[in-house]
Amino acid sequence: MADNLAEAEATDSAEDDEFGTDRRGDEVPAELARRETRLVKLRAAKEAIEAEARDTAAHKAEERAREQGANESEVRARGEEARETAVPKGSAQRNFTDPESRMMKTADGFHYSYNAQAMVDEQAQVVLAQSVSNLAVDGPQLMDMIDATTKNLGAADIDDDPDTVIADAGYFSEANVTNATDAGTDVLIATGRMKHDDCVSQTPRGPIPRDATVKQKMARRLRTKKGRADYARRKAIVEPVFGQMKVRQRAGFLRLRGLDGAQGEWALHTLCHNLRKLAHAG
């Protein structure tokens, strides 16, 4: 008990030295204390929430249009139509401490967060490309990560592009598969839950139906012996990297605020991870 009281007294003294004897350190910031400034921040947050709702609605409408086979002109038209009629959800929120962060689902609930990405090499578990965004979904970032990987390998005078990019269901969309294939990159992406009309046999046999969709073709490939074996490698490639950074570098959460700060901190984490891998490799 005496030790606890001594520790509490030491903490009080340290906080008094840092914040002052009449402050606790968690007071409302000065810029929020005045009514006028508070209203300005509230209006800015409202406008940001509305803008985000418009962008999200437009993106979803464009993705649906592409999956339905619409041409680019029709895709843009549907996106603009969705943008004009978009309304934020009643539960939409904005973080005043870090306005660039977004509410995301994590392992222990919902928190204001950033979405960290990493492209990892199978053999050495070295991070080939990394990025941070404030998008809760992964799909829109796949092609950027593939492009960044190709660019980084080229900068290192490595001409051997990845044989196959493996990704979980969060990255699947027909547009991603098509764009990656058109760019010359083989992708193996989990399709997630299949609708009744999209169902594929667990043991597909015979030629692929001519009218099979991109999703059906991918699901069929994942159900082959080779597809199962290849996709199973994903857990052994990327998951250990995230685990090692969380344990060794305390990278389970980012400490810097703002998208630029989060990006810089994540880049530092991946750099440190790569240096460790290279050091152990001799």
Side-chain angles (χ1 to χ4, degrees), residues 32-74:
L32 292 180
R34 297 178 60 223
R35 180 182 303 176
E36 295 81 358
T37 304
R38 189 161 59 244
L39 288 175
V40 169
K41 286 187 172 289
L42 288 173
R43 292 191 188 100
K46 178 175 179 292
E47 291 173 359
I49 290 173
E50 291 172 344
E52 182 179 354
R54 290 192 293 270
D55 291 342
T56 301
H59 174 74
K60 290 182 177 180
E62 289 173 356
E63 285 294 310
R64 286 194 298 269
R66 288 193 180 95
E67 291 178 357
Q68 294 169 0
N71 58 45
E72 282 304 308
S73 177
E74 178 64 20

Side-chain angles (χ1 to χ4, degrees), residues 27 40 42 47 55 98 114 117 134 192 206 221 225 232 270:
E27 289 81 8
V40 169
L42 288 173
E47 291 173 359
D55 291 342
D98 187 357
Y114 290 99
Q117 303 282 320
N134 56 7
R221 179 182 172 188
K225 184 177 181 180
T270 55

